[in-house]
Amino acid sequence: MFLNNDEEKMLQGEYGIIVQKSMKILVTLGDVFGAERMVKVKSVHISGISYKNIGDPALEFLEEWANNGAKTRVHTTINPSGMDMERWRDFGISEAFAKKQIRIIDAFKKMKTCKSLSCTPYLIGNKPQLNDHIAWAESSAVAFSNSVLGAKTNREGGPAALASAITGRTSMFGYHLDENRNPSHEIYINEPVNGVLEYSTLGYHVGKKLGHCIPFFKNLKKPNIDELKALSAGLAASGSIALYHIYNVTPEEKKFRENSYERIDVRKRDLTETLAELSIEEKNEHICIGCPQCSMREIAEIARKVAGKKVKRELWVFTSSIICKEAKLKGYVDVIERAGGKMISDTCMVVSPMKMMGVRGVITNSCKAAHYIPNTCEIPVALKNINNCIKVALGK
Ligand code: F3S
């Protein structure tokens, strides 16, 4: 692969051992995937932050890099951790777990990443522009940034994303190249799709059918940002879809309108069946909203629904600390907490140790959560739309 002078110096160790190791990771990946050169990235998003997921070996690796002078050179955000970094004691997290999680976050702070822990970096200031090259991990955010924002990223793993943050580069292959962004299938929506749960289910259904292809959705009404966030997460959870197009909605779709692709029809009953397959109704006591983490609009909606009432079951609302602080200023946090709900920052229902936190079953509106929680947390998940989630929380 061609390297310019600066990249060659990085590889030869002129900027230190950590930059050299990072460049080696990227060059190796580039060679494997046939990249001809590197490209500068505008931003990075790193996953693999929760101690529950990465454990001691990754914690030691991160500390070693941080202590040896690793520093990000582009805007870098990081995914949710395994706990609310301020209020972890309130949620039953053990001292032993918290200590390790704090060490992980301290290592990232030392490397100069953003302090807010979020899987929706595009809602907290890491919002790439059309055609920006970026290096993002976190599958739902990758699908959102490629598709809705028209930025260019592969579905990075945590170490490669960290290497990109440290060098400001990634190897030019995969979705960085225009010729790899063409749709493979037309997904024709026969009946209207509405709301976050239905978009999440649509994504999950199509991801399961297509695996790693590029769908081009037609006949979808204009989804809002939360519906696109849910669609992105669903597509990436059941398959490994990192890019999609929507007629009249996403920025690159006009290029592909005239071509024809293998057509798959989606009807309401496909979504109903997918939902039924995923949803396990047992003793689900905890209502958890926010996978991907909640936007301000979603928090406002929850606040409106519970205002002046009292929840009869646990209602947990997950978001980033930046959005949580803004929601507090707007009064939504107080409304939710007066109703007995809890706002939880920096983490999510999948990457936190839910059993340790006393959770025995979850009700949520996210197919991604329903896909992962039974395996990662060993508890059942039932799926309901947001109205019904809140109704159950209020004991109706
Ligand atoms: Fe985000 Fe956790 Fe869901 S990282 S997309 S809330 S699994």
Side-chain angles (χ1 to χ4, degrees):
M1 181 183 355
F2 169 79
L3 298 181
N4 68 22
N5 276 347
D6 209 30
E7 291 156 359
E8 196 61 57
K9 281 185 194 168
M10 291 187 202
L11 190 63
Q12 295 313 320
E14 288 192 33
Y15 296 105
I17 182 88
I18 297 295
V19 174
Q20 184 181 35
K21 283 184 177 173
S22 300
M23 192 45 107
K24 275 188 182 160
I25 292 174
L26 299 175
V27 168
T28 306
L29 273 172
D31 284 341
V32 168
F33 289 99
E36 291 179 1
R37 64 179 179 91
M38 294 266 158
V39 63
K40 284 190 176 176
V41 291
K42 288 269 173 64
S43 78
V44 170
H45 182 74
I46 301 174
S47 65
I49 310 299
S50 165
Y51 176 65
K52 177 183 133 182
N53 291 1
I54 65 175
D56 289 320
L59 159 59
E60 281 152 25
F61 164 84
L62 289 166
E63 283 186 333
E64 189 199 319
W65 276 40
N67 293 337
N68 280 294
K71 292 273 179 296
T72 62
R73 55 168 79 192
V74 291
H75 186 184
T76 301
T77 39
I78 59 175
N79 238 17
S81 71
M83 61 188 200
D84 186 310
M85 296 303 294
E86 282 179 14
R87 298 170 57 206
W88 52 270
R89 283 188 184 84
D90 299 349
F91 293 98
I93 300 285
S94 70
E95 295 274 340
F97 183 97
K99 269 188 190 152
K100 302 270 176 104
Q101 186 62 72
I102 290 166
R103 280 171 58 191
I104 291 170
I105 300 305
D106 283 348
F108 277 111
K109 278 187 192 157
K110 224 171 175 176
M111 293 190 256
K112 303 261 179 264
T113 62
C114 170
K115 292 187 185 75
S116 196
L117 315 176
S118 176
C119 55
T120 55
Y122 45 87
L123 297 180
I124 60 161
N126 186 358
K127 189 173 179 189
Q129 305 290 308
L130 181 66
N131 291 324
D132 279 354
H133 291 276
I134 59 176
W136 281 22
E138 171 44 45
S139 62
S140 66
V142 166
F144 188 97
S145 60
N146 264 330
S147 316
V148 179
L149 306 177
K152 294 174 175 172
T153 179
N154 290 317
R155 196 164 137 147
E156 302 288 355
L162 179 60
S164 286
I166 288 165
T167 58
R169 306 289 198 283
T170 191
S171 296
M172 187 82 167
F173 68 90
Y175 294 119
H176 290 283
L177 301 170
D178 286 341
E179 65 262 32
N180 294 332
R181 299 177 68 88
N182 298 344
S184 57
H185 294 75
E186 173 184 330
I187 309 296
Y188 193 84
I189 308 300
N190 283 279
E191 289 156 278
V193 177
N194 285 304
V196 162
L197 178 61
E198 286 195 5
Y199 271 89
S200 174
T201 314
L202 171 64
Y204 196 86
H205 172 72
V206 172
K208 203 170 170 189
K209 258 192 146 42
L210 293 190
H212 65 279
C213 301
I214 302 177
F216 187 3
F217 291 95
K218 292 201 177 154
N219 204 30
L220 263 181
K221 59 125 196 160
K222 257 193 176 334
N224 64 34
I225 290 294
D226 296 320
E227 290 166 337
L228 290 166
K229 172 162 84 72
L231 177 68
S232 304
L235 284 163
S238 57
S240 50
I241 290 175
L243 169 64
Y244 59 88
H245 306 286
I246 306 178
Y247 189 90
N248 233 357
V249 173
T250 55
E252 291 172 272
E253 62 85 20
K254 282 195 183 71
K255 292 188 233 167
F256 312 117
R257 279 185 182 180
E258 304 308 321
N259 306 345
S260 57
Y261 308 96
E262 185 184 330
R263 172 168 158 159
I264 295 175
D265 283 68
V266 177
R267 299 194 168 75
K268 222 36 174 216
R269 69 160 188 273
D270 297 314
L271 305 190
T272 313
E273 280 169 16
T274 301
L275 210 55
E277 276 166 29
L278 260 181
S279 192
I280 308 164
E281 191 104 31
E282 286 175 13
K283 276 198 166 177
N284 308 41
E285 292 293 333
H286 277 73
I287 291 84
C288 295
I289 311 295
C291 173
Q293 287 177 327
C294 283
S295 67
M296 187 64 75
R297 198 199 62 84
E298 290 176 298
I299 293 170
E301 187 184 353
I302 294 166
R304 261 196 315 278
K305 289 183 196 305
V306 301
K309 299 170 185 152
K310 278 279 174 221
V311 295
K312 305 276 187 315
R313 296 201 199 177
E314 289 286 335
L315 169 64
W316 290 4
V317 181
F318 293 89
T319 191
S320 63
S321 60
I322 289 182
I323 290 182
C324 195
K325 276 182 196 133
E326 284 171 20
K328 179 133 186 88
L329 290 176
K330 288 178 191 279
Y332 301 139
V333 171
D334 288 343
V335 171
I336 292 170
E337 294 196 336
R338 266 201 303 272
K342 293 182 181 120
M343 297 295 301
I344 309 182
S345 299
D346 312 313
T347 185
C348 82
M349 62 193 93
V350 174
V351 301
S352 56
M354 294 287 266
K355 268 194 171 167
M356 186 195 290
M357 295 159 80
V359 181
R360 296 290 169 261
V362 165
I363 298 173
T364 187
N365 60 347
S366 162
C367 289
K368 175 168 180 177
H371 176 84
Y372 285 111
I373 289 178
N375 287 327
T376 61
C377 307
E378 297 172 333
I379 53 178
V381 177
L383 284 161
K384 296 185 189 301
N385 67 25
I386 186 71
N387 283 338
N388 289 332
C389 283
I390 301 299
K391 271 189 192 163
V392 174
L394 293 170
K396 288 186 180 168

